[in-house]
Amino acid sequence: FQISLFFYSLKALLSGRCDLFLVDPITVPTIIPFALLKKAGIVKAKFVLDVRSVPVDTYGFEGKVQQLRFGLCIYLAKHFFDGITVITELYLKKFADDFNVEKESMGVWTSGVSMERFNPCIKSSVREKLNLEGKFVLMYHGGISESRGINYLIEAMEKIKTELPDTVLLLVGRENGDKIINSIKDKKLFENVLYTGAVNYDEIPAYISACDIGILPFPDSIWWRMSSPLKLFEYFAMGKPVILTDIESHRLFAEEIKSVFLIKGNSPENIVDGIKKMHNIKEKLSQLGDEGIGMVERKGTWKVQAESFLKYVNRI
């Protein structure tokens, strides 16, 4: 990929049809030669590093290599690129401090969503297809791992299955390994947890349409404290309330709209408490979800984020 990227970028520069290179940390070393040509005044294109996430799941030797590579790429971009953008205002402050970058020189454009694709009016047959009629459906979609708190979510479902037998967790995504899947089998949660595996992204709106409420059981770690999860905007756009752990990035949404429900942490007990509270007001959830749609329309669409990004690019 890096070799293909190098020659594709070279061709784009030589043809004069490229005004901007927006680069993620992994591809910085490949693009550096062209950024040096810009420094020498040979090319006019702008070069911007965009950081969507801090390194995650950085365990063991491989994790240390990942962190070192990330730091090196930031160093190169800091000295040879025209600008740096990050995913949240929270991360901008931390990034500036960690890497000694002036905040004023950086830009922010966060996650977004397509309101055309994630439309609450879409028709979905998922409930019927998956036998979810009459169920209270809790949903998580995305990467499935213990670092995202999914193991505690499974434990919570085990604790709640007798008291709230109509509650089902719809788990959509891919797991690296089998820990979570084996846990579902060991706890005999086949009727309470429905794991679909990965599905085509075009199908995600139909799955969200089938749920009553989303949940992000993320722990209070640097990975998630600075994040802006796409899935959260997708739930909002579909008019679905969301249960979130009380971490800094989630708290910002809770301060703005009533369709966000914070739980103290991602322990099974806290998750159970959150599910019970939402189950008690399940008839009101769809009405509350309208606030999320309004918030996305105001500042969560890709059009809004593109405008923020272009404003920064024109400034540098």
Side-chain angles (χ1 to χ4, degrees):
F1 169 76
Q2 300 288 355
I3 294 171
S4 298
L5 175 66
F6 178 86
F7 286 105
Y8 182 90
S9 301
L10 178 62
K11 182 179 178 182
L13 277 175
L14 292 176
S15 66
R17 63 182 177 85
C18 187
D19 300 306
L20 169 75
F21 283 81
L22 184 64
V23 180
D24 72 354
I26 293 174
T27 53
V28 167
T30 304
I31 301 299
I32 277 293
F34 308 121
L36 292 174
L37 293 178
K38 167 67 181 294
K39 287 286 185 183
I42 298 174
V43 298
K44 294 181 179 180
K46 294 180 180 179
F47 295 84
V48 175
L49 168 66
D50 179 54
V51 185
R52 298 283 93 187
S53 170
V54 298
V56 299
D57 294 334
T58 52
Y59 305 115
F61 176 75
E62 187 176 339
K64 289 181 179 179
V65 171
Q66 186 182 357
Q67 288 179 315
L68 286 171
R69 183 176 61 188
F70 181 78
L72 172 63
C73 292
I74 301 303
Y75 175 84
L76 291 172
K78 173 184 170 181
H79 288 88
F80 301 109
F81 277 25
D82 297 285
I84 298 174
T85 59
V86 293
I87 194 167
T88 65
E89 291 284 350
L90 294 172
Y91 191 34
L92 182 144
K93 296 172 185 175
K94 177 171 174 52
F95 189 100
D97 291 340
D98 288 353
F99 298 101
N100 194 26
V101 180
E102 291 183 5
K103 295 176 187 176
E104 294 74 19
S105 69
M106 297 174 63
V108 177
W109 59 288
T110 188
S111 295
V113 67
S114 165
M115 296 293 287
E116 291 75 27
R117 182 189 294 256
F118 289 86
N119 189 316
C121 297
I122 69 166
K123 295 181 180 180
S124 170
S125 60
V126 170
R127 268 189 178 262
E128 182 182 359
K129 183 175 69 174
L130 298 181
N131 250 354
L132 294 173
E133 298 291 350
K135 301 291 186 181
F136 180 67
V137 182
L138 185 72
M139 179 175 171
Y140 170 87
H141 71 288
I144 296 174
S145 67
E146 292 185 350
S147 68
R148 297 166 190 259
I150 307 304
N151 53 322
Y152 297 133
L153 184 51
I154 299 303
E155 289 183 35
M157 292 305 298
E158 182 184 29
K159 292 177 180 292
I160 213 169
K161 66 177 182 180
T162 303
E163 186 175 352
L164 298 177
D166 67 328
T167 301
V168 174
L169 170 62
L170 180 58
L171 205 55
V172 181
R174 179 180 288 112
E175 178 186 13
N176 290 326
D178 299 307
K179 280 188 177 181
I180 303 297
I181 307 308
N182 288 337
S183 177
I184 296 170
K185 293 177 182 176
D186 293 342
K187 298 178 189 300
K188 296 181 172 58
L189 292 173
F190 305 110
E191 294 184 7
N192 307 91
V193 179
L194 184 57
Y195 173 66
T196 67
V199 303
N200 190 297
Y201 186 65
D202 289 336
E203 299 176 47
I204 292 296
Y207 279 87
I208 295 177
S209 180
C211 80
D212 293 289
I213 191 166
I215 184 167
L216 275 66
F218 295 164
D220 187 8
S221 69
I222 183 62
W223 303 341
W224 310 122
R225 218 176 292 143
M226 303 291 117
S227 70
S228 176
L230 280 170
K231 60 178 69 62
L232 184 52
F233 285 81
E234 292 165 357
Y235 290 131
F236 288 152
M238 296 288 292
K240 303 297 180 180
V242 190
I243 298 173
L244 300 174
T245 44
D246 189 5
I247 59 179
E248 200 169 0
S249 57
H250 294 165
R251 209 172 298 134
L252 296 175
F253 293 105
E255 291 169 357
E256 183 171 350
I257 55 177
K258 295 177 183 176
S259 57
V260 169
F261 302 95
L262 294 181
I263 54 178
K264 292 180 181 179
N266 75 337
S267 70
E269 292 75 20
N270 286 326
I271 294 172
V272 166
D273 184 57
I275 295 173
K276 284 182 179 179
K277 287 178 179 177
M278 296 309 100
H279 191 278
N280 288 338
I281 61 168
K282 59 183 179 181
E283 292 80 10
K284 301 178 181 179
L285 292 178
S286 59
Q287 183 180 350
L288 291 173
D290 291 342
E291 286 199 5
I293 297 174
M295 187 276 292
V296 169
E297 288 174 341
R298 289 193 306 275
K299 57 182 184 181
T301 65
W302 284 123
K303 182 177 185 295
V304 170
Q305 300 310 324
E307 288 170 351
S308 296
F309 175 68
L310 290 173
K311 185 177 179 181
Y312 171 75
V313 169
N314 290 328
R315 173 165 66 86
I316 61 174

